[in-house]
Amino acid sequence: GESVGLHLPTLSVQEGDNSIINCAYSNSASDYFIWYKQESGKGPQFIIDIRSNMDKRQGQRVTVLLNKTVKHLSLQIAATQPGDSAVYFCAENSGGGADGLTFGKGTHLIIQP
Amino acid sequence: KAGVTQTPRYLIKTRGQQVTLSCSPISGHRSVSWYQQTPGQGLQFLFEYFSETQRNKGNFPGRFSGRQFSNSRSEMNVSTLELGDSALYLCASSFVRSGSSNEQFFGPGTRLTVL
């Protein structure tokens, strides 16, 4: 899940297992949500997005679930691989482009061999 | 096609100086947004430029400014640098204005260290 301060929450999973990363968003007016992956020394990389009129969207090995009732977003990664090790951010956009994207603090995903 | 490029990749400055960072968006993209990333505050939105006009601005002091040129390339400037300005500055480009269903592509960032 998300946290504030210097310490990122960490999720450690075994290679081959499924990973679930959670995110709570704050703005009920947000209508577009994105998951980004950031590897060390690189900028965030788009993984998958979802609009507020959907509650589930699937990509290659990834699924995003959106629960607007409790303002919760999750990213599921199937059959986790070593290359999935990174910090994962959720981001929300309240629509109309105002204030750009609002990012969560991130979750550090560690893959154990 | 080439991704978002940012120059320089690393920069060391001292307090009180000013700095200019550059971002070249993906060809054809007209929107450029800037973000500051620090361990304590995470990723925070600075401002967005579209067609040479600032469209949105985050909650940063006036020392942070930017501009966009007719070729969509953008620069951001920080004046009177403070120690707390040390961060990774990220640029993101998109085809249209930042908003719904509009994927932003990020550059690798400029790592600024203020001594």
Side-chain angles (χ1 to χ4, degrees), chain A residues 1-10 87 105-108, chain B residues 38-42:
Chain A
E2 300 296 316
S3 74
V4 297
L6 293 172
H7 301 288
L8 292 179
T10 298
V87 177
K105 296 300 184 190
T107 296
H108 189 186
Chain B
T38 60
Q41 298 299 317

Side-chain angles (χ1 to χ4, degrees), chain B residues 92-106:
Chain B
S93 79
S94 57
F95 182 66
V96 293
R97 283 186 59 185
S98 169
S100 296
S101 303
N102 181 26
E103 182 180 345
Q104 289 191 337
F105 295 84
F106 282 82

Side-chain angles (χ1 to χ4, degrees), chain B residues 40-59:
Chain B
Q41 298 299 317
L43 269 157
Q44 294 185 291
F45 173 73
L46 279 158
F47 29 64
E48 179 197 4
Y49 285 86
F50 183 80
S51 294
E52 302 177 65
T53 302
Q54 187 181 91
R55 295 295 187 178
N56 298 302
K57 185 170 168 47
N59 188 25

Side-chain angles (χ1 to χ4, degrees), chain A residues 62-75:
Chain A
V62 294
T63 301
V64 55
L65 299 177
L66 174 63
N67 185 330
K68 295 180 286 295
T69 302
V70 295
K71 292 189 283 189
H72 183 268
L73 198 65
S74 69
L75 176 70

Side-chain angles (χ1 to χ4, degrees), chain A residues 36-110:
Chain A
Y36 284 94
K37 171 187 179 182
Q38 187 174 23
E39 296 173 281
S40 181
K42 298 182 179 179
Q45 177 187 0
F46 174 92
I47 301 173
I48 191 167
D49 59 358
I50 189 168
R51 299 187 69 173
S52 59
N53 61 354
M54 303 170 69
D55 53 18
K56 180 179 180 179
R57 192 166 185 217
Q58 288 184 292
Q60 186 177 14
R61 284 201 308 118
V62 294
T63 301
V64 55
L65 299 177
L66 174 63
N67 185 330
K68 295 180 286 295
T69 302
V70 295
K71 292 189 283 189
H72 183 268
L73 198 65
S74 69
L75 176 70
Q76 301 177 6
I77 304 174
T80 313
Q81 302 169 358
D84 295 329
S85 289
V87 177
Y88 289 81
F89 296 94
C90 64
E92 61 183 294
N93 190 299
S94 59
D99 301 329
L101 292 172
T102 301
F103 283 81
K105 296 300 184 190
T107 296
H108 189 186
L109 179 63
I110 297 172

